[in-house]
Amino acid sequence: PAVGSNEVIVLPPHLITEQIAVKKLTFSVLQSLVANGVTNILLTPSNAPHIEKVLHTMSEGAIDASHCYDPIVRKTCISFFRHLIDQWCSPSTLHDASQQMQQHTIIHNGFLRFLLDSVLPGLLRSLLHPSFNHHDALQSRCLSEIAKILTTLKDRIGTTEFDTSVALKFFTGDLASTSLLQDVSKAFSQAVTSKDMEKCLTIMITSSKQ
């Protein structure tokens, strides 16, 4: 918006297209970094101050409320978070009290809080959006990737913490306000594999449409 005005500046279509193309490239580069195990690049003194912006950028692509990105791009961004969970959310990385790793530990815990407070709620709500079709081949890949996120998170933080921070929090509230919510929450708590999680998500989606 212009300063001192209520007018909203609307970019020409070609500039919007360029912005989306640049963001898609950014998504791909960042996902490649974490997928290939060179995530520490994000924690260097020059990059660490920008980690919050990186997470928000990737969250935008993963949740995609504006529907600017196709399912393949969404899956790329969701995969970014899955790899970070695997690398940053183990007990050793979240509770390393050594002076050398103190700053990294702060970032790791901040990432987990951002994941629980923002990313996961956004991902789950995106599955309940009327435009999401879990029978579509491409969109179902996003569903599978979200299931892998939940499975990886449960493995890294433990069943007790998962039940408290995820299963009970997300699947007994607005996201599952149906007669099946207790069964859905219990199913997520008992899920072991990503296929189990995927079945739970599918139940959540179908029950929300009843």
Side-chain angles (χ1 to χ4, degrees), residues 154-176:
K154 185 175 185 178
D155 177 68
R156 302 311 267 169
I157 67 176
T159 300
T160 301
E161 180 66 22
F162 181 86
D163 288 348
T164 302
S165 300
V166 181
L168 293 177
K169 180 179 179 181
F170 296 142
F171 306 116
T172 58
D174 293 338
L175 288 172

Side-chain angles (χ1 to χ4, degrees), residues 50-63 77 80-81 84-85 88-89 94 106-123 125 149 153 165-166 169-170:
H50 307 291
I51 189 65
E52 184 176 354
K53 181 171 178 57
V54 168
L55 294 178
H56 278 285
T57 296
M58 296 303 287
S59 176
E60 175 191 328
I63 298 170
C77 296
F80 168 87
F81 285 102
L84 275 192
I85 291 169
W88 284 5
C89 291
L94 292 173
I106 292 173
I107 292 175
H108 296 157
N109 279 276
F111 164 71
L112 179 59
R113 182 50 46 204
F114 177 72
L115 182 77
L116 295 175
D117 290 348
S118 182
V119 178
L120 277 182
L123 288 175
R125 286 192 175 91
I149 274 189
L153 182 62
S165 300
V166 181
K169 180 179 179 181
F170 296 142

Side-chain angles (χ1 to χ4, degrees), residues 33 38-52 54-55 84 87-88 93 100-101 103-109 111:
L33 286 177
V38 288
T39 313
N40 281 340
I41 290 178
L42 300 176
L43 302 178
T44 61
S46 60
N47 290 330
H50 307 291
I51 189 65
E52 184 176 354
V54 168
L55 294 178
L84 275 192
Q87 297 172 42
W88 284 5
T93 56
Q100 181 181 4
M101 296 299 293
Q103 185 60 37
H104 288 187
T105 301
I106 292 173
I107 292 175
H108 296 157
N109 279 276
F111 164 71

Side-chain angles (χ1 to χ4, degrees), residues 136-156:
D136 178 82
L138 291 179
Q139 293 195 55
S140 67
R141 294 183 184 182
C142 295
L143 176 67
S144 297
E145 200 64 34
I146 293 172
K148 291 176 183 177
I149 274 189
L150 292 170
T151 307
T152 304
L153 182 62
K154 185 175 185 178
D155 177 68
R156 302 311 267 169

Side-chain angles (χ1 to χ4, degrees), residues 22-38:
V22 170
K23 282 192 174 182
K24 285 183 177 181
L25 179 59
T26 301
F27 296 154
S28 180
V29 170
L30 289 170
Q31 194 275 340
S32 294
L33 286 177
V34 299
N36 289 289
V38 288

